[in-house]
């Protein structure tokens, strides 16, 4: 729809908001008009929070997680097991794993996965710092928790080979389990997932 | 999901973005992390556009449309027919009608519809200024283009009675047609719409 804005200021605001991924011009207009109905403090707080974050954002120098301090809260927590590293693609993955309360080690954020189509090679990811960190911090296990996609698998294999080339006999490299998702009905599970769940079956234990 | 943010700055930005209607915390996080991957100029342009609009926004003193000038481009356009007014709920409605290229009159933005449930009565809407404007500008036709909902109908009826009480013999009050939507298959049209389309049938004209 060709939109004729009655105001250049409005048009510019809608333009900027619709630059965000997944936000079309209609949604952008709705959001902007919402802000106009609210008190000005809300718009100012939003703008201020975004610009402050963008200006002052820092990344943990150890794991590359977003952090307000040089070393993030997780890396600097002495109660966490520094000999176990969980390699993830991005910051959201850390949040998802932290929400499970099932992991007490440290993380390593790659910042993406290898994707030749998007021009992302190993050198664009935090892989070098991982291979330096593993021997330095006497890591015993590296858990690869990447997405179960072709790109994720490629990246996992690449990292596995790099870690193996370090020749550390006591280092274990593992991947998170693949199988049927909790509470998903079997009949609706796709073939690849179901096949993999069958192949990876484990002894039954009553719970 | 309980989210543990590794950064207060990040948390605050996500908080503010998720205050927008229809944007949950997961989407907000995705948008904020997107901005962090882009150049800082994008975040700054977005913030600047929003705060500038919020600070400098003005509404046309005649029709209440959003405008950069005291009187909006539509109201101040001498080529438009000032004797025909189209009454709409909001600014998006003006854009939708302008996009049809079928209307050459002026508008009047109510700023909502009567909705006792939301505490919106006639005095919260720009109805008074409408009843002043109609005799002053020698308006001949008022087109009520409100949503076909109970609130829209109530508001239309309220305005109709107010306009009638002005006792202007040459004033016509009309409503936009209701019927089956263009390109919607008849079998999927709801009963109320179809019934109304039947009752409001017009003589067939070949085109």
């Amino acid at each position: 729809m060709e939109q004729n804005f009655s105001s250049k200021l409005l048009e510019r605001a809608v333009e900027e908001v619709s630059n965000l991924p997944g936000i079309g011009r209609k949604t952008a207009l709705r959001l902007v008009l919402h802000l106009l109905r609210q008190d000005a403090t809300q718009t100012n707080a939003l703008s201020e929070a975004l610009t402050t974050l963008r200006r002052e954002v820092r990344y943990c120098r150890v794991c590359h997680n977003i952090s307000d301090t040089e070393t993030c809260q997780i890396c600097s927590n002495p109660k966490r097991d520094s000999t176990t590293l969980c390699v993830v693609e991005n910051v959201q993955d850390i949040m998802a794993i932290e929400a499970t309360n099932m992991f007490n080690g440290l993380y390593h954020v790659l910042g993406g996965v290898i994707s030749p189509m998007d021009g992302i090679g190993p050198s664009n990811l935090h892989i070098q710092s991982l291979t330096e960190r593993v021997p330095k911090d006497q890591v015993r296990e590296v858990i690869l928790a990447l997405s179960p996609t072709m790109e994720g698998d490629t990246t996992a294999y690449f990292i596995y080979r790099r870690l193996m080339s370090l020749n550390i006999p006591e280092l274990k490299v593992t991947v998170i389990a693949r199988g049927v998702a909790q509470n998903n009905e079997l009949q609706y599970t796709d073939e690849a997932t179901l096949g993999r769940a069958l192949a990876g079956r484990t002894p039954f234990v009553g719970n």
Side-chain angles (χ1 to χ4, degrees), chain A:
Chain A
M1 180 170 96
E2 168 69 25
Q3 279 173 327
N4 271 311
F5 287 92
S6 56
S7 151
K8 289 275 165 216
L9 292 176
L10 177 64
E11 184 168 11
R12 210 185 113 219
V14 169
E15 208 78 68
E16 289 294 340
V17 173
S18 64
N19 277 339
L20 293 170
I23 304 222
R25 283 170 73 88
K26 278 206 162 174
T27 303
L29 177 61
R30 190 171 55 78
L31 296 178
V32 168
L33 292 176
H34 168 84
L35 286 174
L36 284 179
R37 281 192 302 272
Q38 308 299 308
D39 201 89
T41 51
Q42 188 176 332
T43 305
N44 296 339
L46 170 64
S47 297
E48 164 72 12
L50 291 178
T51 48
T52 305
L53 172 67
R54 191 64 190 78
R55 189 177 59 238
E56 294 177 12
V57 66
R58 282 199 282 180
Y59 296 90
C60 173
R61 60 173 182 167
V62 181
C63 75
H64 312 291
N65 188 9
I66 290 176
S67 170
D68 295 335
T69 46
E70 216 177 304
T71 307
C72 78
Q73 289 162 3
I74 295 173
C75 284
S76 55
N77 182 347
K79 290 196 185 129
R80 298 195 66 134
D81 170 16
S82 65
T83 66
T84 307
L85 285 196
C86 184
V87 175
V88 294
E89 183 177 338
N90 57 42
V91 173
Q92 287 108 309
D93 296 335
I94 292 187
M95 289 183 183
I97 293 173
E98 285 295 287
T100 68
N101 277 319
M102 294 280 281
F103 180 67
N104 194 42
L106 305 184
Y107 293 95
H108 192 88
V109 181
L110 294 178
V113 282
I114 295 171
S115 173
M117 295 281 281
D118 305 309
I120 302 172
S123 60
N124 302 113
L125 306 174
H126 296 300
I127 293 178
Q128 182 64 28
S129 62
L130 174 67
T131 54
E132 287 164 10
R133 189 179 170 192
V134 165
K136 188 163 67 76
D137 295 347
Q138 288 162 314
V139 172
R140 292 307 177 95
E141 180 176 1
V142 171
I143 304 171
L144 300 173
L146 302 177
S147 295
T149 60
M150 206 170 68
E151 288 81 8
D153 287 348
T154 304
T155 310
Y157 187 63
F158 183 88
I159 292 174
Y160 171 75
R161 288 209 313 186
R162 274 285 189 89
L163 291 174
M164 283 301 107
S165 73
L166 296 174
N167 277 316
I168 307 172
E170 63 274 24
L171 177 66
K172 254 198 321 190
V173 179
T174 59
V175 291
I176 56 171
R178 296 205 189 158
V180 291
Q182 198 74 18
N183 296 326
N184 265 15
E185 284 193 57
L186 214 66
Q187 59 179 323
Y188 302 126
T189 304
D190 67 286
E191 295 155 37
T193 301
L194 199 52
R196 209 153 166 154
L198 266 173
R201 64 193 178 277
T202 54
F204 181 82
V205 277
N207 50 351

